[in-house]
Amino acid sequence: MFRKTVFFSILCLGMFSVFAATAEARVPGSMNFENVTATTINQTVGEIASNEKEVDFGDFDNDGDLDVVIGNAFSDFGARRNKLYRNDDGVFNEVSGNPIIVGMTNPDVSRNAFLRDYDNDGWLDILIVNDRNTGGEGGRNKLFINQHEGGVFENFIDGGTARLGTAGGAACGAVSEDFDLDGDYDLYIGNYPNNSQDAYQLNGFNGDEVGFFTTVTNTHIPADNAYTVDVSRGDMNGDGYLDVLLANWSGNRIYYNNLNAGSSGPGDFRYAGSSQSMGNATGGTANENVMEPGDFDNDGDLDLYRGNISGSALGGVVDRIQVNTGNSGSGFASFTFNDNLPAFVSSTPTLKATVADLNDDGRVDIFVMQANGRPSILRNTTVNGVISFIDWTPGHAFPTGTLHRGWHSNAFDSNGDGWLDIFLGGWSNDHHFISADSNEVTDASGALPPVYNTDPVVVVGSANGEEEFTAANVPSNRQLSVIVNSASDVNLTLISSLGNLVGSSDRGGPGIEEALQISAPGGTVRIIVDVVQVAGDADLDNDIDGADFAELLDCVGAPGSELQVGCEGFDLDQDGDADFSDFYLFQQSFTGDGGVAEGNYVLEVLARN
């Protein structure tokens, strides 16, 4: 006890200055986006509708910010221009042609564009995957090598067939990763009918110079004739090798990398037992557009988000989560379906999806591009391994309609503020959304500002017992989403203007997020936040005193150490452990014997059509 008490006393002397220096204005864990397209995207040539695009990002000029490259195609094989945007202090200026990258905008049908360091010289190159079933320059894939004499970016030069050869086909999707673990980026291309065999190329293979590719289609990947629409990658069985995921307009598959003794080594997908059939979403003809991996339940393995072009509104199948439940005896990953997704993505055809932790809360979210209109942000509200999402798509940034209809997107920090932003490859022009503050309210309770089709409202409050808020003028049958986060044990209840219960959430004890999404009853909705047990009040006597401090000392561990069972109420900063930062927060809430302790909480409310 003496050692812990002395260490705590020393720590607290400097703790306040540390927290003051690192605090940010944004409420931690909150989520909102602002459309800044008009001021941050400058393109040289306007576009027309119906573009298929793939978005990638990276710092090609080594100036410290992230640039964007877009492979730009059209489903009926009309010519479109690929795009390269240079990030100039958060503004994306198109530099697609001469003198930066001659030949990139030639009339190919390009399916993917990658920013990678293909020759391992410390500078990012650009690889464009083209569809050879179309016109343009015959569908030759192109590798543009970064030129940087004297350590200053100059331009890109087309490496020609000497580097990439003529491998390819009727490309529809591709991934570029280090599949053979030799330290450079390789290329896997998924093809569709009319030369539908996929293509596979290894970079620097068998001692060849890095930046030059060898085609290993016949020796390293299975023969197939599937209509592949999208390709992704992830270590699905946790063996340290990246596997390939193929979303097909037929049965989906996983090709496992170097799974068993039949393999020739890392990067080999063609051997007995390497291919796992994933079926499709319902066992019928699914027309799936994406299988995107992500650890949605935070259990350490990768699950799958499966998106379908034929939503239930069209009489087809719906998007689904496929949960990874561990490995089978063959080394394949085992999966079960989870259909707990918001209704909007279940009724609207899906094109592509981007998986990323958009609000830095330690859970990966999903940004879904949808064919009939606005995209959807599926905010991850999973608790204790039970996967759940709510639709958290701010109506102010993403209004209903086709304005922000798009094919693909990517998430990265575009302006250096430490938060992930979204760059959307639009069905017509491109769009840029930055992570933004919500409409913050500091009043303890009462009427909220307008929430319908506006920015989300965030209330930062504290209470011991119930506090009530009202959200007014939310039309009936509109989406109302409510989230409460607290280190305390908090319950959430929604009541209609007629006094009827319309929703409640009580998912656990201290530190457990409460989340609801309902179809609004119309009029005013009462939102009741009930702080059942204040964090740090271990003995439940409504104060935080020396007895609670003794409990805290028994719970504290090193930063990042696993939170002990029964110590959840001392994870005051909700970072997954009880450590020295929690000592500081405990000190701030110390009331002494007989005081009244209050629990801090963050309430978020969003309503939209």
Side-chain angles (χ1 to χ4, degrees), residues 108 235 324 332 381 425 430 537 565:
D108 292 313
D235 181 5
N324 191 332
F332 291 173
T381 54
D430 303 315
D537 181 17
V565 175

Side-chain angles (χ1 to χ4, degrees), residues 215-477:
T215 300
V216 292
T217 299
N218 294 332
T219 58
H220 281 66
I221 61 173
D224 77 271
N225 59 359
Y227 193 130
T228 297
V229 180
D230 191 53
V231 187
S232 57
R233 81 288 177 268
D235 181 5
M236 302 309 299
N237 58 357
D239 63 356
Y241 305 109
L242 286 175
D243 310 308
V244 171
L245 289 76
L246 303 176
N248 297 322
W249 280 17
S250 56
N252 303 296
R253 307 202 72 84
I254 297 175
Y255 290 166
Y256 285 93
N257 188 345
N258 193 33
L259 180 61
N260 57 34
S263 166
S264 63
D268 187 1
F269 299 93
R270 183 173 182 168
Y271 45 86
S274 68
S275 178
Q276 180 181 7
S277 173
M278 301 297 291
N280 50 45
T282 60
T285 55
N287 286 0
E288 290 205 315
N289 267 351
V290 62
M291 286 200 304
E292 197 67 34
D295 184 6
F296 302 124
D297 52 6
N298 272 356
D299 66 348
D301 53 31
L302 292 176
D303 313 298
L304 292 173
Y305 182 85
R306 296 175 58 157
N308 292 280
I309 189 73
S310 300
S312 60
L314 303 179
V317 295
V318 297
D319 289 12
R320 309 180 84 176
I321 298 290
Q322 208 158 355
V323 185
N324 191 332
T325 59
N327 293 343
S328 66
S330 64
F332 291 173
S334 300
F335 297 94
T336 60
F337 280 117
N338 178 297
D339 294 325
N340 190 17
L341 290 173
F344 190 77
V345 297
S346 297
S347 61
T348 305
T350 291
L351 296 175
K352 303 290 182 182
T354 296
V355 172
D357 182 1
L358 296 174
N359 59 337
D360 196 28
D361 68 347
R363 295 172 294 188
V364 288
D365 312 295
I366 309 171
F367 186 70
V368 184
M369 305 307 307
Q370 296 174 288
N372 290 352
R374 71 166 175 89
S376 288
I377 297 175
L378 305 187
R379 179 169 175 174
N380 194 333
T381 54
T382 297
V383 165
N384 292 331
V386 180
I387 293 178
S388 64
F389 291 87
I390 64 173
D391 190 332
W392 196 271
T393 315
H396 185 255
F398 304 95
T400 298
T402 60
L403 176 64
H404 298 133
R405 182 184 181 190
W407 185 260
H408 187 253
S409 66
N410 225 317
F412 59 97
D413 183 5
S414 66
N415 54 8
D417 65 353
W419 296 81
L420 293 184
D421 311 306
I422 295 172
F423 200 103
L424 184 156
W427 204 249
S428 53
N429 294 313
D430 303 315
H431 307 278
H432 184 205
F433 305 90
I434 60 170
S435 184
D437 292 330
S438 298
N439 184 5
E440 185 174 341
V441 178
T442 56
D443 292 338
S445 62
L448 298 175
V451 297
Y452 179 62
N453 282 346
T454 67
D455 288 327
V457 170
V458 171
V459 179
V460 180
S462 60
N464 189 321
E466 291 187 358
E467 286 199 335
E468 182 172 318
F469 305 86
T470 56
N473 301 318
V474 180
S476 60
N477 300 319

Side-chain angles (χ1 to χ4, degrees), residues 72 78-82 96-97 101-110 128 130 135-137 140 142 144 158:
N72 193 351
R80 295 294 184 269
R81 302 173 70 255
N82 298 319
S96 305
I101 184 165
V102 178
M104 183 181 175
T105 61
N106 288 358
D108 292 313
V109 175
S110 300
I128 306 291
N130 292 318
E137 293 188 321
R140 173 177 66 87
K142 299 176 182 179
F144 295 94
D158 187 349

